[in-house]
Amino acid sequence: MGAEGQSTSNGPQPTANGRQDVPIITIDGPSGSGKGTIARIVASKLGWHMLDSGALYRLVALAGADRGLAPDDEAGHAQIAKALDVVFDAEPDGEERIWLEGVEVSARIRTEEAGAAASRVAAMPSVREGLLARQRAFAQPPGLVADGRDMGTIVFPHARLKIFLTASPEERARRRYKQLKDKGLSANLAALSLEIAERDRRDASRAVAPLKPADDAIVVDSTSMSIDAVVARVLELAAARFPVNR
Ligand code: DC
């Protein structure tokens, strides 16, 4: 992985799906590192599209549970992943709305339970494979900010800017707690810390696409950085990598 500010050799190579023209920023990292928040703000400031890949895993797990699938039914979840009927939308005020098979599930997929279920289906190779083409299809002009665990390693290996955003486990648990409380959801800090540790362990130790920085990712530790400071850092790196957007 590159040190902060170090340039990488990513020239105009074709992306894994053959596109050469769309600028892509990948933001990977563990649960609660602030990836989602940062990716959303950066995408909005640049006027680019945004891929929240974690939402796709959450949706697959939710659809599986709703259909009564056993949590370890890989074939069943893979089928769902391939045919997922989902619409991402946003209110004029930026509030996200996600529709699964015509039913709004925006709040349901954001619970810790949905996150843990997502982490379990995300360990299934055929589920990951089933979501690959759908994720790559988000690479549309004028650009894409993709948030997840394997955006820079597997889904968009030729992205020109790869960020690996991290923070201490304690800080991540605190942020998650605040996020849930702000949404009016119940939360317990000690339980959240344990859940985050378990999710980190599962996401980092799985055989396929484990959570790890791409070799050419820039690691940003946001433990003692404000959201604004992280956004500024990513935009500064983006301006250097994508000069036409300056
Ligand atoms: O980012 P998130 O908390 O919404 O992700 C939920 C789970 O989905 C996470 O525990 C791991 C999995 N995930 C993944 O394996 N690969 C991704 N690109 C995104 C999420």
Side-chain angles (χ1 to χ4, degrees), residues 28 31-32 35 52-55 57-58 110 114-116 118-120 122-123 128 135 147-151 155 176 199 203 206 209:
D28 290 304
S31 303
K35 305 178 304 294
D52 171 3
S53 60
Y57 291 96
R58 288 169 183 261
R110 293 298 166 201
S119 168
R120 281 191 289 273
R128 304 198 73 84
Q135 294 177 86
D147 140 29
R149 305 292 189 291
D150 62 343
M151 298 295 97
V155 182
R176 201 58 139 191
R199 202 125 75 87
D203 293 344
R206 68 182 174 222

Short mmCIF file of all heavy atoms in Angstrom, two decimals, residues 28 31-32 35 52-55 57-58 110 114-116 118-120 122-123 128 135 147-151 155 176 199 203 206 209, ligand 1:
data_model
loop_
_atom_site.label_atom_id
_atom_site.label_comp_id
_atom_site.label_asym_id
_atom_site.label_seq_id
_atom_site.Cartn_x
_atom_site.Cartn_y
_atom_site.Cartn_z
N ASP A 28 -12.37 1.93 1.10
CA ASP A 28 -12.60 0.70 1.85
C ASP A 28 -12.19 0.91 3.29
O ASP A 28 -11.44 1.84 3.62
CB ASP A 28 -11.75 -0.43 1.23
CG ASP A 28 -12.27 -0.86 -0.13
OD1 ASP A 28 -13.47 -1.21 -0.22
OD2 ASP A 28 -11.50 -0.83 -1.11
N SER A 31 -15.91 -1.66 9.64
CA SER A 31 -17.19 -1.11 10.11
C SER A 31 -16.96 0.10 11.01
O SER A 31 -16.12 0.05 11.91
CB SER A 31 -17.94 -2.14 10.96
OG SER A 31 -18.14 -3.30 10.25
N GLY A 32 -17.73 1.15 10.76
CA GLY A 32 -17.68 2.30 11.64
C GLY A 32 -16.49 3.23 11.40
O GLY A 32 -16.25 4.14 12.19
N LYS A 35 -16.57 5.43 6.42
CA LYS A 35 -16.51 5.35 4.94
C LYS A 35 -17.76 5.89 4.28
O LYS A 35 -17.68 6.64 3.32
CB LYS A 35 -16.41 3.89 4.45
CG LYS A 35 -15.33 3.07 4.97
CD LYS A 35 -15.41 1.66 4.41
CE LYS A 35 -16.71 0.92 4.62
NZ LYS A 35 -17.13 0.57 5.94
N ASP A 52 -22.78 2.27 -2.52
CA ASP A 52 -22.73 1.80 -1.14
C ASP A 52 -22.82 0.27 -1.22
O ASP A 52 -23.91 -0.29 -1.15
CB ASP A 52 -23.92 2.42 -0.37
CG ASP A 52 -24.09 1.84 1.02
OD1 ASP A 52 -23.28 0.99 1.43
OD2 ASP A 52 -25.06 2.24 1.69
N SER A 53 -21.67 -0.38 -1.39
CA SER A 53 -21.72 -1.83 -1.65
C SER A 53 -22.20 -2.61 -0.43
O SER A 53 -22.82 -3.67 -0.57
CB SER A 53 -20.35 -2.35 -2.10
OG SER A 53 -19.38 -2.11 -1.11
N GLY A 54 -21.96 -2.07 0.77
CA GLY A 54 -22.43 -2.76 1.98
C GLY A 54 -23.94 -2.91 1.97
O GLY A 54 -24.49 -3.91 2.44
N ALA A 55 -24.63 -1.89 1.39
CA ALA A 55 -26.09 -1.95 1.34
C ALA A 55 -26.54 -3.17 0.53
O ALA A 55 -27.55 -3.80 0.85
CB ALA A 55 -26.66 -0.67 0.73
N TYR A 57 -25.04 -6.11 0.30
CA TYR A 57 -24.95 -7.31 1.14
C TYR A 57 -26.04 -7.32 2.20
O TYR A 57 -26.61 -8.36 2.53
CB TYR A 57 -23.55 -7.42 1.77
CG TYR A 57 -22.50 -7.73 0.72
CD1 TYR A 57 -21.75 -6.72 0.13
CD2 TYR A 57 -22.32 -9.03 0.28
CE1 TYR A 57 -20.82 -7.01 -0.87
CE2 TYR A 57 -21.39 -9.33 -0.72
CZ TYR A 57 -20.65 -8.31 -1.29
OH TYR A 57 -19.74 -8.59 -2.27
N ARG A 58 -26.34 -6.13 2.74
CA ARG A 58 -27.42 -6.04 3.72
C ARG A 58 -28.75 -6.44 3.07
O ARG A 58 -29.57 -7.14 3.67
CB ARG A 58 -27.52 -4.60 4.26
CG ARG A 58 -26.37 -4.24 5.19
CD ARG A 58 -26.33 -2.75 5.52
NE ARG A 58 -25.19 -2.42 6.35
CZ ARG A 58 -25.23 -2.27 7.67
NH1 ARG A 58 -26.38 -2.35 8.32
NH2 ARG A 58 -24.14 -2.01 8.36
N ARG A 110 -30.36 -0.83 8.13
CA ARG A 110 -29.30 -0.11 8.87
C ARG A 110 -29.11 -0.60 10.30
O ARG A 110 -28.31 -0.05 11.04
CB ARG A 110 -29.60 1.39 8.88
CG ARG A 110 -29.50 2.02 7.51
CD ARG A 110 -28.12 1.91 6.93
NE ARG A 110 -28.10 2.20 5.50
CZ ARG A 110 -27.14 1.80 4.67
NH1 ARG A 110 -26.13 1.09 5.10
NH2 ARG A 110 -27.19 2.08 3.40
N ALA A 114 -28.90 -6.36 10.89
CA ALA A 114 -28.79 -6.47 9.43
C ALA A 114 -27.32 -6.44 9.01
O ALA A 114 -26.93 -7.14 8.07
CB ALA A 114 -29.55 -5.32 8.76
N GLY A 115 -26.50 -5.67 9.73
CA GLY A 115 -25.07 -5.60 9.42
C GLY A 115 -24.39 -6.94 9.69
O GLY A 115 -23.56 -7.41 8.89
N ALA A 116 -24.76 -7.57 10.80
CA ALA A 116 -24.15 -8.87 11.14
C ALA A 116 -24.59 -9.92 10.13
O ALA A 116 -23.79 -10.76 9.68
CB ALA A 116 -24.57 -9.27 12.55
N ALA A 118 -25.43 -9.35 7.06
CA ALA A 118 -24.74 -9.01 5.80
C ALA A 118 -23.34 -9.58 5.83
O ALA A 118 -22.85 -10.13 4.83
CB ALA A 118 -24.69 -7.49 5.64
N SER A 119 -22.66 -9.44 6.96
CA SER A 119 -21.29 -9.93 7.07
C SER A 119 -21.25 -11.45 6.86
O SER A 119 -20.30 -11.98 6.27
CB SER A 119 -20.76 -9.52 8.45
OG SER A 119 -19.57 -10.16 8.75
N ARG A 120 -22.30 -12.14 7.30
CA ARG A 120 -22.33 -13.61 7.11
C ARG A 120 -22.54 -13.97 5.63
O ARG A 120 -21.84 -14.82 5.10
CB ARG A 120 -23.42 -14.25 7.98
CG ARG A 120 -22.97 -14.40 9.44
CD ARG A 120 -23.93 -15.26 10.24
NE ARG A 120 -25.19 -14.56 10.48
CZ ARG A 120 -25.40 -13.75 11.52
NH1 ARG A 120 -24.46 -13.55 12.41
NH2 ARG A 120 -26.56 -13.15 11.66
N ALA A 122 -21.83 -12.13 3.16
CA ALA A 122 -20.70 -11.58 2.40
C ALA A 122 -19.51 -12.55 2.39
O ALA A 122 -18.60 -12.39 1.58
CB ALA A 122 -20.27 -10.24 3.00
N ALA A 123 -19.52 -13.53 3.28
CA ALA A 123 -18.43 -14.52 3.31
C ALA A 123 -18.68 -15.63 2.28
O ALA A 123 -17.85 -16.52 2.10
CB ALA A 123 -18.30 -15.11 4.71
N ARG A 128 -20.84 -13.06 -3.47
CA ARG A 128 -19.94 -11.98 -3.92
C ARG A 128 -19.89 -11.95 -5.45
O ARG A 128 -19.97 -10.90 -6.07
CB ARG A 128 -18.54 -12.15 -3.33
CG ARG A 128 -18.50 -12.23 -1.82
CD ARG A 128 -17.12 -11.97 -1.26
NE ARG A 128 -16.78 -10.56 -1.37
CZ ARG A 128 -17.13 -9.61 -0.49
NH1 ARG A 128 -17.79 -9.93 0.60
NH2 ARG A 128 -16.80 -8.36 -0.70
N GLN A 135 -22.23 -4.22 -9.22
CA GLN A 135 -21.40 -3.17 -8.62
C GLN A 135 -20.62 -2.43 -9.70
O GLN A 135 -20.53 -1.20 -9.68
CB GLN A 135 -20.45 -3.78 -7.58
CG GLN A 135 -21.17 -4.35 -6.38
CD GLN A 135 -20.20 -5.02 -5.41
OE1 GLN A 135 -19.62 -4.38 -4.55
NE2 GLN A 135 -20.03 -6.32 -5.55
N ASP A 147 -17.85 2.68 -1.93
CA ASP A 147 -17.55 2.44 -0.52
C ASP A 147 -17.79 0.97 -0.18
O ASP A 147 -18.78 0.39 -0.59
CB ASP A 147 -18.44 3.42 0.28
CG ASP A 147 -19.06 2.87 1.55
OD1 ASP A 147 -18.48 1.99 2.19
OD2 ASP A 147 -20.14 3.38 1.91
N GLY A 148 -16.82 0.35 0.50
CA GLY A 148 -16.99 -1.06 0.86
C GLY A 148 -15.80 -1.67 1.57
O GLY A 148 -15.14 -1.01 2.37
N ARG A 149 -15.55 -2.94 1.25
CA ARG A 149 -14.42 -3.65 1.86
C ARG A 149 -13.42 -4.10 0.80
O ARG A 149 -12.25 -4.26 1.06
CB ARG A 149 -14.90 -4.92 2.61
CG ARG A 149 -15.96 -4.71 3.65
CD ARG A 149 -15.40 -3.94 4.83
NE ARG A 149 -16.34 -3.88 5.96
CZ ARG A 149 -17.48 -3.21 5.96
NH1 ARG A 149 -17.86 -2.53 4.91
NH2 ARG A 149 -18.25 -3.19 7.04
N ASP A 150 -13.93 -4.33 -0.43
CA ASP A 150 -13.08 -4.88 -1.50
C ASP A 150 -13.19 -4.06 -2.78
O ASP A 150 -12.98 -4.56 -3.87
CB ASP A 150 -13.51 -6.33 -1.81
CG ASP A 150 -14.94 -6.41 -2.31
OD1 ASP A 150 -15.71 -5.44 -2.12
OD2 ASP A 150 -15.29 -7.44 -2.91
N MET A 151 -13.53 -2.78 -2.63
CA MET A 151 -13.70 -1.93 -3.82
C MET A 151 -12.35 -1.77 -4.54
O MET A 151 -12.28 -1.87 -5.76
CB MET A 151 -14.25 -0.54 -3.42
CG MET A 151 -15.62 -0.55 -2.77
SD MET A 151 -16.92 -1.14 -3.86
CE MET A 151 -17.06 -2.83 -3.41
N VAL A 155 -13.27 -5.29 -6.85
CA VAL A 155 -14.33 -4.78 -7.72
C VAL A 155 -13.78 -3.76 -8.72
O VAL A 155 -14.09 -3.82 -9.91
CB VAL A 155 -15.52 -4.21 -6.89
CG1 VAL A 155 -16.63 -3.72 -7.82
CG2 VAL A 155 -16.06 -5.27 -5.94
N ARG A 176 -20.54 4.50 15.80
CA ARG A 176 -21.69 3.67 15.46
C ARG A 176 -22.82 3.92 16.46
O ARG A 176 -23.99 4.02 16.09
CB ARG A 176 -21.25 2.20 15.48
CG ARG A 176 -22.13 1.29 14.70
CD ARG A 176 -22.22 1.70 13.24
NE ARG A 176 -22.19 0.55 12.37
CZ ARG A 176 -22.06 0.62 11.08
NH1 ARG A 176 -21.95 1.78 10.48
NH2 ARG A 176 -22.05 -0.46 10.35
N ARG A 199 -17.33 -8.56 13.82
CA ARG A 199 -17.51 -8.27 12.38
C ARG A 199 -16.14 -8.05 11.72
O ARG A 199 -15.88 -8.56 10.63
CB ARG A 199 -18.42 -7.06 12.20
CG ARG A 199 -19.09 -6.97 10.87
CD ARG A 199 -20.59 -6.87 10.98
NE ARG A 199 -21.08 -5.58 11.40
CZ ARG A 199 -21.32 -4.55 10.57
NH1 ARG A 199 -21.04 -4.65 9.29
NH2 ARG A 199 -21.85 -3.46 11.02
N ASP A 203 -14.89 -10.29 8.67
CA ASP A 203 -14.63 -9.64 7.37
C ASP A 203 -13.16 -9.76 6.96
O ASP A 203 -12.84 -9.84 5.77
CB ASP A 203 -15.03 -8.16 7.42
CG ASP A 203 -16.54 -7.96 7.56
OD1 ASP A 203 -17.29 -8.93 7.32
OD2 ASP A 203 -16.97 -6.84 7.93
N ARG A 206 -12.16 -13.96 6.23
CA ARG A 206 -12.84 -14.82 5.26
C ARG A 206 -11.92 -15.14 4.09
O ARG A 206 -10.99 -14.37 3.77
CB ARG A 206 -14.14 -14.18 4.78
CG ARG A 206 -13.92 -12.97 3.95
CD ARG A 206 -15.23 -12.32 3.53
NE ARG A 206 -14.97 -11.08 2.86
CZ ARG A 206 -15.64 -9.96 3.04
NH1 ARG A 206 -16.67 -9.93 3.85
NH2 ARG A 206 -15.32 -8.88 2.37
N ALA A 209 -12.12 -12.28 -0.85
CA ALA A 209 -12.14 -10.82 -0.73
C ALA A 209 -12.11 -10.34 0.73
O ALA A 209 -12.94 -9.55 1.15
CB ALA A 209 -13.39 -10.25 -1.43
O1 DC B 1 -20.40 -1.29 5.11
P1 DC B 1 -21.54 -2.06 5.79
O2 DC B 1 -21.45 -2.04 7.29
O3 DC B 1 -22.88 -1.63 5.32
O4 DC B 1 -21.34 -3.59 5.32
C1 DC B 1 -22.10 -4.63 5.85
C2 DC B 1 -21.34 -5.94 5.73
O5 DC B 1 -21.22 -6.29 4.35
C3 DC B 1 -19.92 -5.92 6.28
O6 DC B 1 -19.83 -6.48 7.56
C4 DC B 1 -19.11 -6.73 5.32
C5 DC B 1 -19.93 -6.82 4.09
N1 DC B 1 -19.34 -6.11 2.94
C6 DC B 1 -18.44 -6.79 2.17
O7 DC B 1 -18.10 -7.92 2.49
N2 DC B 1 -17.92 -6.22 1.06
C7 DC B 1 -18.26 -4.97 0.72
N3 DC B 1 -17.74 -4.43 -0.38
C8 DC B 1 -19.17 -4.24 1.52
C9 DC B 1 -19.68 -4.82 2.64
#
